[in-house]
């Protein structure tokens, strides 16, 4: 790697760190006994202390206490997903819980940033990868998760999803990329991929299994919708290539991931009847009360709403523009670029449909969907796909102008993010 590439790589990494710290700044700028006001407030710090104590006492897996929380059960690591707290518990005891939570948010933000850069950058180039990765961390829902909802587990799952998709796409397209690179070398053309060094297929399958298992332990509601995406990809890949052996290997890796998470879901699944579980999905938590109209996703951001369910002004416009351009220049795209575009579009349509009232019959019929509680929670998945589509930008003839435009777009998103990440300290 020459000096120019090293500087570029360093700048990309540094910007990711800046964005991660920007998102998590509310955990570091104030005394350790103060937290910001959100739907969770002090609960995450309390859960972290509880799990630390359980781990210290030798309880390494979720425990089910049916007589706590009015029959819902506790500790939270039986019903409430434990993945985020396991990671946060790696901080030493002398690190205050608020700081440990912030450090964990930074770690997952960097994971999402890096995985999104790799997913889009390999197919559309470094600049596009940087735009997509920045768009993910600067998305409205990412800021809302931290500053308003306080659902750090859902945020962590949202940041893990790009890593799973990167491993999935990398394995399915491994043979295709190698063949295209050989063809480009034979024709004396410069390979369009970000890197000519491909990860071994076995490593990609291991990564796919680990990220799939982590997604379940981090947030099963996000995992439920997130696992639909590999299903869609596998169906499309099987129809296109008839490579059923590769499809079977991918499905097996996902199944291994589900098995790795069994220490969490197995006791919950088989002890569900011991608690008043349905109370968590009734009343205000009933899915039928939480559908949103698709056009509401394009509304202006209004902080006075309990949960501002909007995609913001930049990512939707950019994704729509890229889609029009890519469809217009379809024949000039590589096979990997086409696949990523189709995957994002199909995923976006599916997510918007599931969040709308038009999908109510499906929610009634598919009972596991009801465990998501809020259809708008699917924004965690939709935001990932939207960021990828927003970054899917082909090279321009005047590449310097494109670079300036992308920098301007990222600066614009960063400016808007001040609204999404604003917070008030608890008094």
């Amino acid at each position: 790697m020459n000096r120019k590439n090293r500087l570029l790589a360093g700048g990309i990494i540094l910007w990711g760190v800046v964005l991660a710290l920007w998102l998590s700044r509310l955990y570091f700028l104030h005394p350790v006994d103060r937290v910001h006001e959100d739907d969770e407030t002090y609960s995450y710090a309390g859960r972290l202390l509880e799990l630390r104590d359980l781990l210290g006492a030798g309880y390494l897996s979720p425990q089910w206490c049916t007589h706590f929380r009015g029959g819902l059960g506790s500790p939270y690591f039986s019903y409430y997903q434990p993945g985020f707290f396991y990671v946060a518990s790696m901080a030493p005891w002398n690190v205050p819980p608020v700081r440990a939570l912030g450090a964990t948010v930074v770690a997952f933000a960097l994971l999402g940033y890096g995985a999104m850069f790799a997913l889009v950058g390999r197919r559309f180039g470094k600049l596009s990868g940087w735009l997509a990765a920045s768009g993910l961390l600067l998305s409205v829902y990412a800021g809302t998760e931290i500053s308003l909802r306080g659902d750090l587990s859902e945020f962590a799952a949202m940041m893990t999803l790009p890593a799973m998709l990167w491993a999935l796409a990398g394995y399915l397209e491994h043979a295709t990329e190698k063949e295209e690179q050989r063809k480009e070398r034979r024709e004396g053309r410069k390979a369009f991929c970000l890197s000519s060094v491909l990860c071994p297929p076995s490593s990609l399958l291991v990564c796919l299994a680990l990220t799939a298992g982590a997604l379940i332990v981090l947030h099963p509601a996000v995992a439920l919708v997130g696992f639909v995406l590999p299903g869609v990809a596998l169906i499309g890949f099987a129809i296109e290539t008839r490579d059923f052996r590769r499809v079977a290997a991918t499905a097996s890796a996902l199944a291994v991931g589900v098995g790795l998470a069994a220490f969490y879901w197995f006791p919950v699944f088989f002890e569900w009847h011991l608690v008043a579980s349905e109370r968590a999905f009734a009343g205000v938590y009933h899915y039928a009360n939480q559908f949103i109209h698709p056009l509401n996703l394009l509304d202006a951001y209004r902080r006075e709403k309990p949960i501002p369910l909007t995609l913001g002004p930049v990512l939707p416009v950019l994704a729509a523009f890229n889609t029009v351009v890519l469809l217009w220049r379809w024949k000039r795209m590589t096979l990997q670029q086409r696949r990523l575009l189709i995957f994002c579009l199909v995923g976006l349509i599916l997510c918007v449909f599931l969040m709308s009232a038009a999908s109510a019959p499906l929610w009634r019929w598919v009972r596991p969907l009801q465990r998501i509680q809020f259809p708008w929670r699917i924004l965690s998945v939709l935001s990932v796909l939207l960021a990828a589509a927003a970054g899917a930008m082909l090279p321009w003839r005047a590449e310097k102008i494109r670079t300036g435009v992308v920098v301007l777009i990222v600066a614009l998103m960063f400016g808007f993010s001040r609204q999404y990440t604003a917070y008030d300290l608890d008094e």
Side-chain angles (χ1 to χ4, degrees), residues 255-327:
V256 169
V258 174
L260 291 174
F263 76 94
Y264 166 62
W265 60 258
F266 188 87
V268 173
F269 185 84
F270 287 100
E271 297 180 2
W272 194 252
H273 66 285
L274 299 178
V275 298
S277 55
E278 294 306 315
R279 288 175 54 191
F281 309 99
V284 70
Y285 300 110
H286 194 268
Y287 70 90
N289 300 322
Q290 306 293 339
F291 287 118
I292 60 174
H293 194 280
L295 291 180
N296 290 346
L297 296 173
L298 303 178
D299 284 348
Y301 183 87
R302 290 192 290 273
R303 187 77 177 194
E304 62 271 14
K305 287 187 175 183
I307 304 294
L309 303 176
T310 175
L311 298 173
V314 179
L315 288 181
V317 172
L318 191 56
F321 176 80
N322 285 345
T323 300
V324 172
V325 172
L326 292 174
L327 292 176

